[in-house]
């Protein structure tokens, strides 16, 4: 794709964004939207959200942060308390271990949540996607587009990235070529909502989709 084609794709992406935002008024907020500007909660919520349904992440984070909302208090909780709060996320035992490890490391560094992808990924349970999501939610940093299962699936269906794209970091690089810069930060949250309401994993609701005429429906 040359520069002119990238520019044309950016216009298409901008129109897709406008139309989806226009119908998004009644959609439930994403789990992460509750923790904007709150680094510890954003990091924990991002980690817990991996491979977990939004409603379960929302319930788990609410229950957990009612017990402890900072790393040192988190370390005072018993395993039973943590597991009781996060039992509905996927892999609760593994994530409870990550939670203890992350809290320990944060306490060692004075409680601050790291502000780089590399430093975040040095924490157990924090991969590229969780790190990018944490930076966006906690600090408003939007140098990258958070690519999760919703963004990957929908971007392929819309033809924004090639069908064979598998790895989130690669999808991020390709998406940045065709997404207007000002939309990078919002794209993930909007696609999570859109992926739950309309462009669902199975049986997407193309008949009522506001971008049907802009979407090649690749793989649908
Ligand atoms: S037309 Fe269908 S596949 Fe394309 S974005 Fe809409 S729901 Fe998804």
């Amino acid at each position: 794709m040359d520069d002119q084609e990238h520019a044309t794709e950016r216009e298409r992406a901008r129109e897709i964004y406008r139309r989806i935002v226009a119908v998004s008024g009644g959609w439930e907020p994403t789990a992460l939207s509750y923790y904007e500007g709150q680094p510890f909660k954003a990091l924990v919520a991002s980690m817990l959200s991996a491979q977990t349904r939004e409603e379960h992440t929302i319930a788990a984070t609410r229950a957990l942060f009612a017990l402890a909302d900072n790393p040192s208090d988190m370390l005072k909780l018993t395993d039973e308390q943590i597991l009781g709060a996060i039992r509905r996320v996927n892999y609760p035992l593994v994530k409870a271990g990550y939670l203890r490890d992350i809290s320990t490391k944060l306490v060692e560094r004075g409680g601050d949540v790291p502000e780089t992808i590399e430093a975040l990924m040095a924490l157990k349970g924090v991969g590229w996607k969780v790190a990018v999501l944490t930076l966006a939610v906690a600090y408003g940093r939007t140098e990258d587009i958070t690519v999760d299962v919703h963004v990957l699936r929908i971007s392929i269906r819309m033809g924004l990235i090639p069908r064979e794209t598998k790895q989130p970091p690669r999808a991020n690089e390709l998406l940045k070529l065709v997404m207007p810069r000002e939309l990078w930060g919002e794209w993930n949250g909007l696609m999570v909502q859109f992926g739950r309401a309309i462009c669902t994993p199975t049986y997407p609701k193309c008949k009522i989709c506001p971008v049907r005429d802009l979407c090649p429906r690749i793989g649908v």
Side-chain angles (χ1 to χ4, degrees), residues 106-125:
L106 294 188
V107 167
E108 286 169 7
R109 45 178 287 140
D112 290 342
V113 171
E115 295 188 42
T116 66
I117 287 186
E118 295 72 24
L120 281 165
M121 287 178 66
L123 300 170
K124 265 194 188 164

Side-chain angles (χ1 to χ4, degrees), residues 115-189:
E115 295 188 42
T116 66
I117 287 186
E118 295 72 24
L120 281 165
M121 287 178 66
L123 300 170
K124 265 194 188 164
V126 180
W128 179 87
K129 188 203 84 175
V130 170
V132 173
L133 188 55
T134 299
L135 289 179
V137 176
Y139 300 118
R141 297 264 298 279
T142 58
E143 289 87 350
D144 290 292
I145 299 170
T146 308
V147 177
D148 61 8
V149 288
H150 295 286
V151 170
L152 194 61
R153 176 182 77 254
I154 297 167
S155 301
I156 288 172
R157 287 175 175 174
M158 288 178 173
L160 293 169
I161 58 176
R163 187 173 187 169
E164 60 274 15
T165 311
K166 297 272 189 282
Q167 299 302 323
R170 178 64 181 150
N172 164 56
E173 294 303 328
L174 292 169
L175 268 178
K176 288 200 293 188
L177 296 173
V178 296
M179 292 290 303
R181 176 68 181 89
E182 70 273 16
L183 304 185
W184 293 3
E186 289 181 58
W187 193 248
N188 176 268

Side-chain angles (χ1 to χ4, degrees), residues 154 157-158 194 198-200 204-206 209-212 215-218 220:
I154 297 167
R157 287 175 175 174
M158 288 178 173
F194 181 60
I198 295 179
C199 197
T200 46
K205 300 168 185 154
C206 301
C209 179
V211 300
R212 185 184 163 101
C215 175
R217 304 174 65 219
I218 291 172
V220 174

Side-chain angles (χ1 to χ4, degrees), residues 35-175:
Y35 305 117
E36 287 172 1
Q38 304 173 72
F40 179 66
K41 291 182 178 179
L43 170 58
V44 171
S46 299
M47 184 273 288
L48 291 176
S49 74
Q51 298 178 328
T52 294
R53 294 171 66 93
E54 281 288 295
E55 58 268 34
H56 293 167
T57 302
I58 291 171
T61 51
R62 282 187 179 153
L64 184 64
F65 297 145
L67 298 172
D69 63 359
N70 62 74
S72 52
D73 285 349
M74 197 63 73
L75 290 174
K76 293 174 190 156
L77 298 181
T78 65
D79 289 346
E80 290 71 27
Q81 284 176 302
I82 292 175
L83 285 170
I86 69 169
R87 65 186 180 282
R88 295 182 75 187
V89 302
N90 269 354
Y91 312 113
L93 270 175
V94 174
K95 289 178 179 176
Y98 291 157
L99 190 54
R100 283 210 182 282
D101 197 73
I102 289 170
S103 297
T104 302
K105 292 285 187 324
L106 294 188
V107 167
E108 286 169 7
R109 45 178 287 140
D112 290 342
V113 171
E115 295 188 42
T116 66
I117 287 186
E118 295 72 24
L120 281 165
M121 287 178 66
L123 300 170
K124 265 194 188 164
V126 180
W128 179 87
K129 188 203 84 175
V130 170
V132 173
L133 188 55
T134 299
L135 289 179
V137 176
Y139 300 118
R141 297 264 298 279
T142 58
E143 289 87 350
D144 290 292
I145 299 170
T146 308
V147 177
D148 61 8
V149 288
H150 295 286
V151 170
L152 194 61
R153 176 182 77 254
I154 297 167
S155 301
I156 288 172
R157 287 175 175 174
M158 288 178 173
L160 293 169
I161 58 176
R163 187 173 187 169
E164 60 274 15
T165 311
K166 297 272 189 282
Q167 299 302 323
R170 178 64 181 150
N172 164 56
E173 294 303 328
L174 292 169
L175 268 178

